[in-house]
Amino acid sequence: MMPTSLAPSRPAGLPHSIDLGDARERLVRHRIYGLVDSAERLRRFMESHVFAVWDFQSLLKAMQQRLTCTSVPWVPTPDPEARRLVNEIVLDEESDELPEGGSASHFELYLDGMRKAGADTGPIERLLAMLSDGAPLAQSLASCGAPRAAARFVRESFAVIDSGSTHGIVAAFTYGREDVIPDMFRGLVAALADRDPAWHRFRYYLDRHIEADDEKHAPTCRRIVARLCGDDAAKWAEASGVAKGCIEARIALWDAIAADLEAMPVS
């Protein structure tokens, strides 16, 4: 069986494909996964990574807005299959089942994991509070206390959201998130193992993402990209550029967090 990290980027038989160069491989082989090896480093990692978890949900909602009807009065959108596929992803990501019963978004699950691990949730909670009060995103990011690299990552994600390109947004979500997240998170799960109960909630979040993204979401999203780009070489090229840019942005975030972790005193 071909390793996941080397799998083809397109369904068999399509005339075009997503070209990521070596960006995906550099991301899944990043040194950061071996650095999250203590409770202190886990907390520091989460305090930056939570912003990527949050803007993942924003990217998903942007995709839903473009592929389904979210306004009133309702009218049917052109692609019923894409409509169903994206709504299934939204259901999983926004209202997943919890092991103890009930449901929550993956962001809320992550935030709960941060609290249980003793990480500082202040900056991300201030961001949400300011946005809820109607403050602009740029102003909220600048004043909430977000780590600089995390704020830069969010701005780059929202540049894609604001681009107006449906196939670009879906490519960012597919190849910058769903397609690569399982391989990234496998590295973190391997690093965490079962060494501390404070990590259990976070590991549950990681395991849920691996399961949902690898088995359902990534294949679904690749189909949507293929349907949107069709035989248009220009769309495939634009989608490739957006997807690669998103992976490079994640590598830059990982570089910054890794450097921060390496600078922490040894406990």
Side-chain angles (χ1 to χ4, degrees):
M1 180 178 294
M2 182 178 292
T4 303
S5 61
L6 301 179
S9 295
R10 64 182 177 93
L14 285 176
H16 304 288
S17 63
I18 296 294
D19 180 10
L20 301 176
D22 69 344
R24 189 184 194 283
E25 196 66 17
R26 286 189 289 117
L27 179 57
V28 297
R29 295 185 184 279
H30 200 281
R31 72 187 191 280
I32 195 170
Y33 311 114
L35 291 173
V36 186
D37 59 0
S38 70
E40 293 79 12
R41 282 182 164 182
L42 170 67
R43 287 191 284 268
R44 186 70 64 85
F45 171 84
M46 296 176 90
E47 287 162 6
S48 287
H49 180 234
V50 66
F51 287 89
V53 177
W54 171 75
D55 82 358
F56 171 95
Q57 300 285 358
S58 299
L59 197 58
L60 172 59
K61 299 307 284 188
M63 188 169 74
Q64 186 185 34
Q65 287 175 350
R66 291 188 167 271
L67 296 177
T68 75
C69 181
T70 58
S71 60
V72 178
W74 178 88
V75 293
T77 47
D79 190 334
E81 183 180 11
R83 188 191 313 153
R84 179 177 179 85
L85 294 177
V86 73
N87 281 333
E88 288 177 351
I89 297 172
V90 170
L91 178 63
D92 286 343
E93 296 289 352
E94 206 169 34
S95 306
D96 200 3
E97 295 179 358
L98 298 177
E100 67 275 14
S103 60
S105 69
H106 284 178
F107 170 77
E108 291 164 314
L109 181 60
Y110 193 98
L111 201 59
D112 185 49
M114 288 184 69
R115 296 186 183 109
K116 285 181 167 56
D120 181 11
T121 62
I124 189 65
E125 291 182 320
R126 285 193 291 273
L127 175 68
L128 296 178
M130 285 185 278
L131 292 174
S132 295
D133 288 341
L137 175 63
Q139 174 187 327
S140 302
L141 269 177
S143 57
C144 72
R148 182 176 301 176
R152 182 170 60 248
F153 182 86
V154 171
R155 287 194 295 270
E156 292 182 9
S157 295
F158 272 82
V160 174
I161 291 172
D162 295 337
S163 70
S165 169
T166 300
H167 57 277
I169 290 169
V170 179
F173 186 82
T174 302
Y175 294 96
R177 303 298 180 103
E178 298 289 68
D179 179 69
V180 74
I181 279 175
D183 282 351
M184 289 195 306
F185 283 177
R186 283 190 189 97
L188 280 173
V189 169
L192 293 178
D194 290 315
R195 283 173 280 181
D196 190 327
W199 299 3
H200 290 175
R201 195 65 159 185
F202 180 53
R203 181 166 182 175
Y204 178 77
Y205 163 84
L206 297 179
D207 285 337
R208 290 298 291 169
H209 249 305
I210 291 171
E211 177 185 355
D213 294 350
D214 212 13
E215 296 178 7
K216 297 192 300 180
H217 296 176
T220 293
C221 288
R222 285 194 291 268
R223 284 162 54 198
I224 296 175
V225 171
R227 293 169 74 89
L228 289 171
C229 293
D231 292 332
D232 190 327
K235 286 186 176 180
W236 280 106
E238 182 182 353
S240 294
V242 172
K244 186 176 180 181
C246 289
I247 293 180
E248 294 289 358
R250 175 78 69 161
I251 291 171
L253 176 62
W254 269 193
D255 286 346
I257 299 176
D260 189 31
L261 297 181
E262 288 166 337
M264 293 177 67
V266 178
S267 56

